[in-house]
Amino acid sequence: MKAFFKGFVFAFNGIKLLIATERNARFHLFVAFLLIPMMIYFPLSQGEVTTTILCISLVLAAEAFNSALERLANRITSEHDNLIGQAKDLAAAAVLILSIGSAIIGLIIYLPHIIQLFSS
């Protein structure tokens, strides 16, 4: 049981490290904190709230995976390696794809509410 809880300590250390060292993760977290009042204010369905939370979680998790891969790759070699460069680019692409998809989903969910707010 002690080892189980120790795993949470390591995970929370990773979250602290992600926020402290990764500018893009801080940006995504900032956007997430902007969405929280919107989730409370607008009359969203349970599915819309769930989708918003899932998008936020996926983007932040992708940032963590990308950062972990970059650190491992940098540990392997500090010299330019074409395959390592490709792996880093692919990991960054995963974050970008999730970010763009999440932004589109956010527009689909929130834009009608924002338009209605300003047209009333």
Side-chain angles (χ1 to χ4, degrees):
M1 197 66 163
K2 191 175 183 180
F4 175 76
F5 287 111
K6 196 166 187 168
F8 281 103
V9 171
F10 294 138
F12 282 112
N13 285 342
I15 291 170
K16 288 191 292 188
L17 182 63
L18 181 70
I19 294 167
T21 62
E22 299 299 326
R23 183 191 62 214
N24 289 342
R26 287 192 299 272
F27 172 76
H28 292 301
L29 202 56
F30 172 75
V31 172
F33 280 114
L34 290 179
L35 288 172
I36 291 170
M38 294 173 70
M39 283 192 289
I40 295 167
Y41 181 77
F42 292 126
L44 302 178
S45 70
Q46 184 177 359
E48 290 170 326
V49 170
T50 302
T51 301
T52 300
I53 293 169
L54 183 61
C55 286
I56 291 167
S57 301
L58 286 172
V59 170
L60 289 172
E63 282 287 356
F65 281 123
N66 181 48
S67 298
L69 186 135
E70 285 182 0
R71 281 176 169 77
L72 284 171
N74 292 342
R75 178 72 173 163
I76 292 169
T77 181
S78 59
E79 297 175 19
H80 176 75
D81 181 279
N82 194 41
L83 287 177
I84 289 177
Q86 288 177 11
K88 290 168 127 182
D89 289 348
L90 288 166
V95 176
L96 181 62
I97 291 165
L98 275 169
S99 297
I100 291 170
S102 295
I104 292 168
I105 289 168
L107 288 172
I108 291 168
I109 292 173
Y110 293 96
L111 194 57
H113 294 288
I114 293 168
I115 291 170
Q116 184 178 18
L117 179 68
F118 288 107
S119 65
S120 299

